[in-house]
Amino acid sequence: MDIKGTVALVTGGASGLGAATAKRLFDAGASVVLVDLPQSAGESYAAELNGAGSVSGSVSRERAVFSPADVTNESQVQAAVNAATAMGPLRIVVNCAGIATPGKVLGRDGVLPLENFNKVIQINLVGTFNVIRLTAAAMAETEPVSTELGGPERGVIINTASVAAFEGQIGQPAYAASKGAVAAMTLPLAREFARSLIRVATIAPGIFETPMMAGLPQSAQDSLGQQVPHPARLGRAAEYANLAAHIVENAMLNGETIRLDGAIRMGLK
């Protein structure tokens, strides 16, 4: 599907993988709704995208807007979907919102509180599903478009899992469970949405440069990067964004979870 002229909704769109993906889609000609928490940099980032996309001396509508939302909140996500459909046909959704709170089941301070486990599941899994169900409903109401190689299509939903879905480390039971579930629901969703001409795919990143990773000392970041077989470095947000764009453009990518990890296989801890 051609990205140009579509409307994309990107969760976690104010930073990290989400911000890079929003920029990639924006630069390719999509209008973008950035969905992130109210306290995020979503408003300023939308203004930055619009400024970069403007032509000197011309007047044009804003192609990037910020819609504050907690992905677990039905009404807030619905408001973001409404903002997207008001801009045109919603055809691209990328779920990047998530948290990676670590916690051993039997830690130094005792048993892992149930609310800690539940919070990760709620945001990473339930939040992702909440966005999927509401955006899919909107997509299903759009008119199909023809792809370059033929065949009608209404839209594409891209989710974010993690290599932890397959090789969760000690201290990652909640995170691995949430991301494993995102990967597991990819195929059944793709099979169901096929009748609506909507594709579903998931990206499972390895160790990437993100705001969370930036908080580590440079020596720690370099050490993590050296664990990647090739290229021996941390993944870059633009590489995630490029894969997301390719999934949109390649109509045969459907129902699959794609590892983006430089061939790393995570160790015990």
Side-chain angles (χ1 to χ4, degrees):
M1 182 171 61
D2 189 1
I3 295 172
K4 186 175 182 180
T6 64
V7 177
L9 184 150
V10 182
T11 73
S15 66
L17 303 180
T21 302
K23 183 179 188 307
R24 176 69 175 79
L25 297 173
F26 183 90
D27 289 346
S31 297
V32 180
V33 176
L34 307 174
V35 179
D36 215 313
L37 294 172
Q39 64 269 29
S40 72
E43 195 73 52
S44 60
Y45 188 53
E48 179 184 330
L49 290 176
N50 286 318
S54 65
V55 178
S56 179
S58 69
V59 178
S60 60
R61 69 180 180 87
E62 292 185 342
R63 287 197 295 115
V65 300
F66 173 53
S67 187
D70 177 335
V71 292
T72 66
N73 186 296
E74 181 174 3
S75 61
Q76 291 176 4
V77 172
Q78 186 61 60
V81 174
N82 294 344
T85 56
M87 300 172 74
L90 175 59
R91 301 205 185 276
I92 303 169
V93 174
V94 186
N95 278 302
C96 290
I99 59 174
T101 308
K104 293 180 180 179
V105 178
L106 304 178
R108 294 179 180 177
D109 298 325
V111 177
L112 181 72
L114 186 58
E115 58 266 29
N116 292 15
F117 184 90
N118 188 54
K119 181 179 180 180
V120 176
I121 297 297
Q122 283 294 314
I123 294 173
N124 292 358
L125 174 58
V126 178
T128 295
F129 180 74
N130 188 37
V131 174
I132 290 170
R133 70 190 187 93
L134 295 176
T135 55
M139 277 186 186
E141 297 299 317
T142 64
E143 287 297 316
V145 294
S146 296
T147 62
E148 182 181 353
L149 298 179
E153 196 165 27
R154 281 197 171 92
V156 185
I157 298 172
I158 301 170
N159 303 314
T160 304
S162 165
V163 295
F166 313 106
E167 299 115 34
Q169 297 181 297
I170 291 173
Q172 290 186 319
Y175 184 68
S178 68
K179 294 302 187 177
V182 169
M185 70 180 175
T186 302
L187 182 58
L189 288 171
R191 286 172 162 172
E192 177 185 348
F193 294 166
R195 66 190 179 198
S196 299
L197 307 179
I198 298 169
R199 291 187 285 121
V200 183
T202 295
I203 300 173
I207 308 175
F208 268 65
E209 293 175 348
T210 62
M212 178 182 64
M213 193 66 66
L216 296 177
Q218 188 59 50
S219 58
Q221 295 184 48
D222 293 341
S223 175
L224 287 169
Q226 289 300 314
Q227 296 177 32
V228 182
H230 180 67
R233 58 168 173 79
L234 299 179
R236 291 166 186 152
E239 291 168 323
Y240 176 100
N242 286 339
L243 178 54
H246 180 72
I247 291 171
V248 172
E249 295 172 332
N250 191 329
M252 283 301 287
L253 283 174
N254 192 18
E256 186 60 86
T257 296
I258 304 170
R259 293 182 67 128
L260 186 67
D261 60 16
I264 197 170
R265 295 299 180 267
M266 302 300 291
L268 197 67
K269 57 184 178 179

